[in-house]
Amino acid sequence: MRTEWDHASTTSNMAARYLEMMDDVEIAPYWRLNAIIDDGTTVICRSLDGKVFDKRDQNSWKFLPPLHWKCRTDAEDIFDDYDGEITSFDGAKEIDPDGWERMQKQGFDVNWGDSDEVFTRAQSYLKKLPQDATPIDVDDLGITDYGLSEWAKVKKNSY
């Protein structure tokens, strides 16, 4: 539960940050990814630390934190006088292809500020549902949709 709470908090904060940063796009057209570097830093966060992206590149926002569960990475505005290197979306994917693949598989390849999601379908406990945008009627769900055993099997194996 703690991980889910932290994830919901982080994605909500980053969604708000995205909206604030886009409001400033005229004076701060870039954003930088800032990782906390210590023994707990993941390869993807370490490799993208300090990378600057163009806010007008909508795909670059797929690297807006969180990039994984328990991610502590942040993002900040960079003003229009910046004259350093700009990392493209494809360039960011190439920095750590395995990390990008994990992000996709775990449902973190999302612009949290634009998605209106806190948890993606890939992060759902409902493993047997289609991954498309088909509406779900929760009244139609049963315990097997959550990957749980049927009650008769649980009761038979209980003490």
Side-chain angles (χ1 to χ4, degrees):
M1 290 297 284
R2 181 66 186 188
T3 299
E4 290 175 2
W5 175 266
D6 290 345
H7 178 73
S9 176
T10 302
T11 56
S12 299
N13 287 330
M14 281 296 141
R17 173 85 44 86
Y18 166 78
L19 296 174
E20 290 170 358
M21 289 169 64
M22 289 308 288
D23 282 345
D24 296 336
V25 72
E26 297 301 322
I27 61 169
Y30 310 108
W31 68 277
R32 178 177 14 235
L33 190 138
N34 293 319
I36 295 173
I37 305 296
D38 60 19
D39 290 343
T41 306
T42 61
V43 173
I44 187 82
C45 290
R46 187 179 300 272
S47 64
L48 291 172
D49 179 49
K51 298 299 183 207
V52 175
F53 299 90
D54 189 324
K55 289 181 181 179
R56 295 159 291 203
D57 176 1
Q58 286 301 305
N59 281 328
S60 76
W61 289 107
K62 292 180 181 180
F63 287 100
L64 182 69
L67 306 181
H68 54 82
W69 298 109
K70 297 186 179 185
C71 186
R72 301 170 294 151
T73 297
D74 203 354
E76 68 177 342
D77 278 321
I78 300 295
F79 291 94
D80 59 1
D81 61 349
Y82 176 76
D83 64 355
E85 184 178 338
I86 306 295
T87 302
S88 69
F89 171 69
D90 289 332
K93 289 190 321 185
E94 291 171 8
I95 290 171
D96 181 10
D98 293 336
W100 171 248
E101 187 176 319
R102 274 190 304 281
M103 283 175 60
Q104 290 179 299
K105 185 177 179 180
Q106 295 174 0
F108 284 92
D109 58 332
V110 174
N111 173 350
W112 301 106
D114 215 20
S115 71
D116 295 328
E117 293 181 298
V118 172
F119 294 97
T120 65
R121 283 185 175 266
Q123 297 165 340
S124 175
Y125 292 112
L126 302 170
K127 301 300 183 196
K128 296 182 181 179
L129 296 179
Q131 293 296 311
D132 62 13
T134 305
I136 301 167
D137 183 351
V138 294
D139 292 332
D140 293 337
L141 300 177
I143 60 172
T144 58
D145 294 309
Y146 292 90
L148 301 173
S149 298
E150 294 179 25
W151 176 245
K153 291 179 183 176
V154 172
K155 188 175 179 185
K156 179 180 177 184
N157 294 327
S158 64
Y159 294 96

